[in-house]
Amino acid sequence: MWRTVSFVERIEVEFKGNLFNQAMVLGDVDNDQRNELIVGNIDGDLAVFKGSNPVTCRRSSGLGIITCIGVGDICNQGKNNLVCLTAEGTCYLFDIKREGESGLSEEDKVLKAAYKQELPANSKVLLLADIDGQTQLIVGYSDRVIRSFKWQMISSSDGGEPYSTGQIVFVQKWKLAGQTETITINKSSDGRQQVMASQPGGTLVTLLRQTKDGDTHSDLSPNKLDGNTQDQRDTFLLYHPLGLSRAKNRDISTVIVGDINPGKEDLDHQTYYALATLDGTLVLAENDKILWSLQVDHQLFSLSKLDVTGNGQEEVVCCSWDGQTYIVNHSREVVRYLFQENVAAFSGGFYSLTEGGNIPCFVYATFNNTIYIYHDIKLPRVESTNLLQVMDRTPETNQLLAKLNIDPTRTDQLRELYHWCLYGWPTKS
Amino acid sequence: MSSDRSWRWTDAHYCGLTSQTNIYGMTRITNVNGTNRLLVASLKGDVVSVEYKKIQNKLKPCSRAVQFTYIPADAEIVSIDIMNKCDPGSGLVVGITFIRLQGDDNKPTGQFLNLYFSFEENSEEVKQDIMAKTIELSFVPYQLTHTLLVHNNDNKESIFLLCGSDNKIHMYKDEADNNFLEENPIEYFPEFKDCDSSTLRLVIKYTDNYTKRLTAMGFQSGTVKFSLVDVQNNVILKSWCSAHGNPITSIVIFNPQNQVPCPSFIESSQENGGIDEERTLIYHLLVTSALMPAVVYRNVLVEGLEDCLTLPNSEKYDSPLCSCVVDIDFDGQNEILIGTYGQELLAYKYTQNDAGSTLKQTEDFIPDIKKRLKFKTLMEESETLNLKKLKSSLESVASSASQSHSNESSPDRNCKKEGFELLWTRSFAYPVVGVDSIDIMGDGMEDLAVVTLKGLHILQPNLSEVAKVCLERLRILADTGSEVGDAYLELQNESLEGEMGNISN
């Protein structure tokens, strides 16, 4: 029997239209160190929500079918941009200014794309990742292709806006066997960042980069890449079967999240990654080794990592279409939360309510034009425990008990002792 | 030392219900091995049992539906109660009242009390359907509770008490072999006589080694009746009444200070290691009503229902429906928790501050006294006159608002601000209909059980913080306890323990 909790404190915001799971992200788009919620729908509406304000702080419309959104330093200028991709293939970059003292005018609230470029159509998932010191835009397409792009300055003149002097250039292309639902980065055992993409049936593939060590970025011009043969490109894939005995359905949709902080003191330690399938398998793995797996009878479609307990370890957070949310720690202890509605999109991450900074939040988009931000989700711990166990794990307890001539295995005596310590302790009156 | 810690209570577990429950829907039972269990009944007839079990050395919440037979599908459960029979080995009795609505068929409609017996001493589960008895009721049932009957030869007997819409309290007594029959309760409980409306809440507490009984009754009419009864001679020693003018939703009889005897295996040389005997005689009465702020009548056995403090703003979150008294910050003083229909749990703490805002506090208090509380003292009519006099001047009201335990008129009484302060509020997803403190984890710490319309929450504070407090105190104990225990103190502890053992409800 798994522990269940109930979250109550939430912000309710209105956002009309259908949206993709990849088109709802938490990130700091205006570079004020406080995260915002950015959502885009298939009608081309883009909205930014900030703080506890239930009204959109900035919005844009008529962009196309927004399939995925990312927040990152795409132009390598030391600040975050908002990247928005549509099914038609348009890539929008937004440069969002910080909110001034006087607040936003009505004009400021309408977002205008700082840069726009046509890329291949039918994108469904994007990842902004820092690869070898430069941010790359890695996009998964519905034709089982993944392409990576980067920002390139055309002229080196440092006057004027970078958006008028640069462009997005193609870097590399991978052709995969199955549909990719999510792309993630993960730190491998050699301490390098690797890009992973989910594959059907609870498997994943590592996307190997074409550049050799020592190659400079200028070598990655599109022209040079075009000269490569198809076969060569295919070898830049490394499939991981991840022997999931439970994965009965080889075509089942799978999502992945990597770079899960194991909370170990060694900072160079490789990170964990987690996979979830639509038939209810959730797996935590490290370097092709399954740490644990669990099976639920709900359709898991969205996967996040979030340190819910504040202990330095990032928990795996997984949500199903019917709102069942699982928070699982690294020792496979589970807390459930049932969101009472069907979920169109889910995201677990950090969001800033007030001046207090970013706090862990769960964001649920429903099919009723409403998005709920749950901001009071911090739990002291994932597992169920009681005072006896917590005291038992404290080394000092046994010394003190020995001093008091109490047998630490006598739970009835401990119970009585702790009860008296907490409630019968003589206080000054 | 612990007062500056912020105790944040979070969900240890949540158990959803299939249909809504009400203010009489939660009951508790102590298992044979000393662990506790909660039962929550919901309207459509499902009863869920929640407890914690150790499975593979891991503590797991264990909630499951308990099937009770002979409850028709179209019945709606009103109240549930569970009790241990006094004879060892005779097991548990579960009582469930329900109303059968007009169905499609021609089955009888009406109200019923079902009793379920299970005989096993070490029954881990409520045995289902071992034996059941159905009693048809001629009234609409309200709260179902149980208490002890103390016979002259010191024999005790568990009985059910059921409050009814016929302005009576009904008693069900085991005549022989689980043959529970209704008996006239007035013979045993003279304080149940002359109820002017339906009793919504009944609380009974025995004191002084079962020679005295405190009975508090809250009526639909808004009357609160508090009686002190001599159990042996079966006479009412004293009785007090106060009118709140709106239905009473909950009542708690409590001691302001926590009283836990020192465990016998601790050789404590702590000063004041025991319990101040005078404190045990102080009883406060917490009353919540549907429309007014909750009120604490202080030291009721001495002051009657005169010395009262309101819990500020407790009516601002829709009707207060339930309440509980427990020490939530481990400072030895009891705090008050109130659950409201407005989906909030309110925690109040008694504070005594030197403050300049006494006057403002007093102004707030005057309308409370004037409008809301019409004291009706049965025993001492003169007190009412006293109250009128008090109302006449602001200063004297201030003294009544902050009346200390005795009537000593210390010169600085107006500089002292004492009263209940709202410590924190916690929101829930549905109206809060029940709250209780129960050591459901089996670790000696009281957890909170909060029932909302749709589910049961078990709340725990951050255990790392609790463990710190516990360690701090163990350290003191280990440092001082190494000395040879004071024989006198030990003796005192023992005698107090005996006394504590006798206080039960």
Side-chain angles (χ1 to χ4, degrees), chain B residues 82-93:
Chain B
I82 181 165
M83 69 176 184
N84 265 310
K85 296 187 75 182
C86 284
D87 314 323
S90 54
L92 303 167
V93 188

Side-chain angles (χ1 to χ4, degrees), chain A residues 285-303:
Chain A
E286 176 190 26
N287 197 18
D288 284 352
K289 192 178 85 212
I290 293 177
L291 298 174
W292 51 251
S293 76
L294 60 93
Q295 188 75 28
V296 299
D297 47 7
H298 292 269
Q299 294 183 303
L300 304 175
F301 82 103
S302 183
L303 194 58

Side-chain angles (χ1 to χ4, degrees), chain A residues 120 236 306 379:
Chain A
F236 292 111
L306 187 63
L379 298 169

